[in-house]
Amino acid sequence: MKTAENAMPIFEIDDSLWLNMEELDWSCITDGLTPKHYRLREELFHQVENFQYVYICRSGRIQLDILGSNGNRRVLFICSKNSIFGELSLFDKLPYNCTATAVTDSYVYAVPAGHFLKQLDLHPELALNILKVQSTKIRLLTTVIKQMSFNDATYRVAYVLANLIQDYSRQVNNNTAYKLTLKYTHQDVADLTGLSRVSVSNIISRFQNMGILKKDPVDGYITIRDPRKLYEFLDDFR
């Protein structure tokens, strides 16, 4: 765990659920292009749709997920600033293998395939950016496989909450608790963990009864009241 001055210790997550590639520079590709505004729940492309563009997130968050034949959904990544997605089809020429949906108001560059390849030819150093993105995605997918293979349902829900503490929270109650700055429903957590909504609801209720968290009845945001107890569910697997 890491500790800041006057702060509760925070469990360090090796592989965040959120794909943040803010350090990458795509300006040689995006110069001259205008990002498109996507509103909450607006779809950018659909699974098995024919490939046309590579997308670069300028701001906001884009969720990539796969849909089963029974309608079940599983989140692969949540892309934020400077993350690219849809790039697999650039190289294998196959349709998109997932669905991309804005989970907040977002601005995204839709880069035509020909333009992307031309800039890659002119700026071969961009290949390193692509490799960094791919290696990060592989690590995230490895984490998903590991959790589904070896970790129980309680661990998987605790892991999502710990990710939210690390990436999207602010300290409250004299720095003894963390209030999440993203609003996640039980179904959202189910999509992230591969669990049913009922299972997630039962685990969240258990955490509430244990005093680990509470949900604000006014704004609907969750506060992690006792982070140490939450981290106990993760420590056994460190």
Side-chain angles (χ1 to χ4, degrees), residues 6-51:
N6 299 321
M8 289 281 290
I10 297 179
F11 192 92
E12 293 192 32
I13 302 296
D14 296 326
D15 298 306
S16 172
L17 294 169
W18 287 267
L19 189 67
N20 188 337
M21 310 300 294
E22 192 166 352
E23 75 278 7
L24 300 183
D25 181 9
W26 303 103
S27 58
C28 59
I29 291 178
T30 59
D31 282 349
L33 300 179
T34 301
K36 181 179 177 181
H37 179 208
Y38 292 91
R39 299 187 183 278
L40 175 67
R41 306 300 181 192
E42 187 174 355
E43 193 174 284
L44 287 75
F45 59 79
H46 193 75
Q47 187 172 315
V48 308
E49 181 180 320
N50 287 331
F51 166 71

Side-chain angles (χ1 to χ4, degrees), residues 107-120:
Y107 285 87
V108 180
Y109 294 101
V111 184
H115 177 72
F116 195 101
L117 288 172
K118 179 180 179 181
Q119 295 305 312
L120 183 58

Side-chain angles (χ1 to χ4, degrees), residues 27 80 180 210:
S27 58
S80 54
L180 304 185
M210 294 175 66

Side-chain angles (χ1 to χ4, degrees), residues 72-208:
N72 288 344
R73 181 188 306 269
R74 177 62 201 254
V75 176
L76 297 176
F77 312 108
I78 300 176
C79 299
S80 54
K81 187 176 180 180
N82 284 353
S83 298
I84 68 169
F85 51 98
E87 79 283 1
L88 283 183
S89 298
L90 182 70
F91 303 109
D92 62 20
K93 310 302 180 185
L94 296 175
Y96 294 115
N97 68 335
C98 61
T99 297
T101 308
V103 291
T104 185
D105 277 10
S106 304
Y107 285 87
V108 180
Y109 294 101
V111 184
H115 177 72
F116 195 101
L117 288 172
K118 179 180 179 181
Q119 295 305 312
L120 183 58
D121 187 50
L122 293 173
H123 305 277
E125 67 274 12
L126 288 174
L128 183 58
N129 282 1
I130 295 172
L131 287 173
K132 287 179 179 178
V133 172
Q134 291 301 307
S135 63
T136 301
K137 288 182 177 180
I138 289 171
R139 285 188 178 275
L140 293 180
L141 289 176
T142 301
T143 297
V144 170
I145 293 171
K146 180 175 70 174
Q147 289 195 10
M148 295 188 71
S149 301
F150 305 116
N151 299 143
D152 65 15
T154 300
Y155 175 95
R156 285 146 71 177
V157 173
Y159 183 86
V160 169
L161 293 173
N163 264 275
L164 287 166
I165 289 175
Q166 178 170 278
D167 296 328
Y168 298 102
S169 72
R170 60 183 177 86
Q171 289 180 289
V172 294
N173 299 341
N174 295 320
N175 297 337
T176 62
Y178 294 90
K179 185 168 185 176
L180 304 185
T181 56
L182 290 183
K183 189 181 295 185
Y184 263 72
T185 67
H186 292 182
Q187 186 59 56
D188 291 331
V189 176
D191 292 341
L192 281 165
T193 57
L195 301 170
S196 70
R197 184 187 59 79
V198 173
S199 294
V200 170
S201 296
N202 289 337
I203 293 168
I204 294 294
S205 294
R206 178 185 171 197
F207 286 169
Q208 288 178 307

Side-chain angles (χ1 to χ4, degrees), residues 1-3 8-12 227-228 231-232 235 238:
M1 295 183 184
K2 59 183 178 182
T3 306
M8 289 281 290
I10 297 179
F11 192 92
E12 293 192 32
R228 288 190 177 91
Y231 301 145
E232 287 176 2
D235 273 327
R238 293 296 280 170

